[in-house]
């Protein structure tokens, strides 16, 4: 049975019971008073004046009082049911709107659908929660579409290069020197594709699963990533100054974010340059001595696939700093980049400690 009818029947039953109780009580009281009036006044004989003609005296002349009360009870039951149905319909209007909106989203997959909310009761709160859920789903869907579109655009160039070089190798009429060069180009293109796909998969991840979150010694994690970066970039010198700090997060994701910052600083540092790493009160700063970031590029350095004109000749997918931004956001922190005093770039990454 629908909730509307259950509410209507419940309200009608309560109203009917109350009406019947009142009517029955009134019936018995009236009958008692009529009987008392008859016994008290008796007949008109023996009195100088006729007895007073009030309501009770008039009721004393009525032979049957049962059918009016039955009619009133039935009428009250019908009226109570109708009023209860109208009340239930008005109360459940937000539920119907919620049901219709969910049906439209299911049928059309249109996540821009919203429910008009008015009031501050439980059903209004439910409608607001439904709208908030649709907001989150819409943002997630748009982000995924944008990521797929950007990734497909970025994949075309390395795929085309790899395909061209493979076709040259298949022909088999190249000099050995050209064949070696084409083979190296194929391997380089495959490495670029592998890194790009790994970065896209990393960005496609959503919020961190709660079961993977743990207390992390951030200072030890930074030291490990500096040691790894020093092995990967032997021409770059790293100077490290860290203080003990404990944060809550996913160790693998935090390692990826810190590693991307260190790799990015080394990539833009001159050969033999120095990268300065400092950790104080949960705030990590990475400073390089490279050419720095142009003022026009600063607002976009953490955007997906964004590469400054001066950086397009260097290897990379343009996703490294975007991954840093995503990881930091999911951990409740903040990250920013700006010019360093004396030249170079200074990146500041802050995470909640404790």
């Amino acid at each position: 049975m629908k909730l509307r009818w259950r509410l209507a029947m419940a309200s009608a039953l309560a109203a009917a019971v109350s009406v019947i109780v009142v009517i029955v009580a009134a019936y018995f009281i009236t009958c008692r008073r009529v009987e008392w009036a008859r016994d008290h006044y008796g007949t008109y004989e023996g009195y100088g004046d006729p007895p007073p003609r009030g309501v009770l005296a008039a009721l004393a002349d009525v032979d049957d009082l049962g059918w009016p009360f039955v009619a009133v009870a039935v009428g009250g039951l019908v009226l109570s049911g109708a009023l209860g149905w109208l009340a239930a319909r008005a109360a459940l209007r937000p539920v119907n709107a919620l049901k219709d909106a969910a049906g439209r989203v299911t049928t059309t997959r249109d996540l821009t659908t919203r429910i008009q909310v008015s009031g501050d009761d439980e059903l209004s709160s439910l409608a607001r929660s439904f709208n908030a859920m649709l907001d989150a789903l819409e943002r997630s869907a748009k982000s995924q579409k944008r990521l797929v579109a950007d990734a497909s655009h970025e994949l075309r160039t390395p795929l085309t290069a790899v395909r061209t070089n493979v076709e040259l190798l298949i022909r088999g009429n190249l000099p050995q020197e050209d064949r070696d060069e084409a083979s190296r180009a194929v391997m380089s293109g495959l490495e670029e594709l592998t890194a790009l796909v790994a970065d896209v998969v990393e960005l496609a991840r959503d919020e961190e699963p709660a079961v993977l979150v743990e207390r992390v010694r951030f200072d030890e994690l930074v030291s490990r990533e500096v040691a790894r970066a020093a092995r990967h970039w032997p021409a770059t010198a790293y100077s490290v100054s860290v203080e003990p700090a404990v944060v809550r997060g996913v160790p693998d994701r935090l390692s990826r974010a810190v590693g991307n910052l260190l790799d990015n600083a080394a990539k833009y540092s001159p050969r033999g340059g120095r990268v300065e790493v400092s950790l104080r009160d949960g705030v990590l700063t990475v400073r390089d001595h490279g050419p720095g970031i142009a003022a026009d590029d600063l607002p976009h350095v953490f955007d997906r696939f964004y590469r400054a004109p001066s950086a397009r000749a260097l290897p990379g997918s343009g996703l490294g700093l975007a991954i840093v931004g995503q990881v930091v956001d999911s951990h409740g922190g903040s990250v920013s980049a700006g010019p360093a005093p004396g030249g170079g770039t200074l990146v500041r990454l802050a995470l909640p400690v404790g």
Side-chain angles (χ1 to χ4, degrees):
M1 183 181 295
K2 292 184 178 181
L3 180 60
R4 178 187 302 173
W5 292 109
R6 291 202 299 267
L7 290 174
M9 290 182 63
S11 60
L13 180 61
V17 170
S18 62
V19 170
I20 290 174
V21 170
V22 172
I23 290 176
V24 170
Y27 177 83
F28 280 107
I29 292 173
T30 303
C31 289
R32 292 289 185 183
R33 296 301 298 271
V34 170
E35 291 174 359
W36 176 85
R38 286 178 174 178
D39 293 339
H40 182 73
Y41 289 108
T43 62
Y44 296 162
E45 298 175 0
Y47 293 90
D49 297 318
R53 301 298 295 174
V55 176
L56 296 180
L59 288 174
D61 297 332
V62 178
D63 295 329
D64 185 10
L65 294 175
W67 70 266
F69 290 96
V70 173
V72 170
V74 174
L77 180 62
V78 174
L79 179 62
S80 299
L83 294 177
W85 186 86
L86 293 175
R89 181 179 181 181
L92 293 178
R93 188 174 293 113
V95 176
N96 291 331
L98 183 64
K99 180 193 69 175
D100 295 339
R104 285 195 300 272
V105 172
T106 303
T107 303
T108 64
R109 299 184 182 273
D110 180 14
L111 296 177
T112 62
T113 302
R114 296 294 182 272
I115 300 176
Q116 295 296 329
V117 182
S118 60
D120 196 26
D121 55 8
E122 293 80 3
L123 293 177
S124 298
S125 177
L126 177 62
R128 280 190 288 270
S129 299
F130 184 80
N131 287 339
M133 179 190 69
L134 289 178
D135 287 337
L137 289 174
E138 184 181 6
R139 288 194 301 269
S140 178
K142 287 182 178 179
S143 178
Q144 290 180 358
K145 289 179 180 178
R146 190 164 56 250
L147 177 61
V148 171
D150 293 341
S152 62
H153 175 74
E154 292 294 326
L155 285 169
R156 289 192 183 97
T157 300
L159 280 175
T160 301
V162 169
R163 179 176 180 177
T164 301
N165 288 308
V166 169
E167 289 176 349
L168 291 175
L169 290 173
I170 291 175
R171 292 176 185 174
N173 56 355
L174 292 176
Q176 186 63 38
E177 182 178 353
D178 293 341
R179 177 179 290 273
D180 294 340
E181 184 178 353
S183 299
R184 287 192 297 269
V186 169
M187 292 303 301
S188 176
L190 290 175
E191 291 175 357
E192 184 179 354
L193 283 172
T194 301
L196 180 59
V197 171
D199 288 342
V200 170
V201 172
E202 188 78 14
L203 280 174
R205 296 176 61 173
D206 206 342
E207 296 292 332
E208 311 299 344
V211 295
L212 300 180
V213 177
E214 60 184 72
R215 290 173 62 86
V216 180
R217 282 290 302 271
F218 196 41
D219 54 312
E220 296 178 355
L221 184 148
V222 170
S223 298
R224 288 196 302 269
E225 286 303 312
V226 169
R228 179 204 59 80
R231 292 192 300 270
H232 186 70
W233 303 91
T236 302
Y238 287 90
S239 62
V240 185
S241 175
V242 297
E243 293 180 350
V246 178
V247 300
R248 290 190 58 81
V250 182
D252 291 343
R253 297 277 280 163
L254 292 175
S255 296
R256 182 67 184 275
V258 174
N260 283 1
L261 284 182
L262 298 174
D263 291 341
N264 193 74
K267 182 168 63 174
Y268 291 100
S269 294
R271 185 173 183 83
R274 187 176 75 259
V275 174
E276 301 168 8
V277 182
S278 174
L279 177 62
R280 298 286 184 275
D281 299 325
V283 178
L284 174 68
T285 58
V286 178
R287 186 255 171 92
D288 63 56
H289 293 267
I293 303 174
D296 294 340
D297 297 325
L298 276 176
H300 309 288
V301 292
F302 294 101
D303 294 347
R304 296 172 178 175
F305 296 104
Y306 181 81
R307 303 186 71 187
S310 59
R312 290 173 185 170
L314 297 174
S317 62
L319 295 176
L321 292 182
I323 293 174
V324 174
Q326 184 188 62
V327 172
V328 172
D329 287 343
S330 65
H331 284 78
S334 62
V335 63
S336 60
T345 301
L346 178 66
V347 179
R348 181 179 180 275
L349 187 155
L351 293 173
V353 296

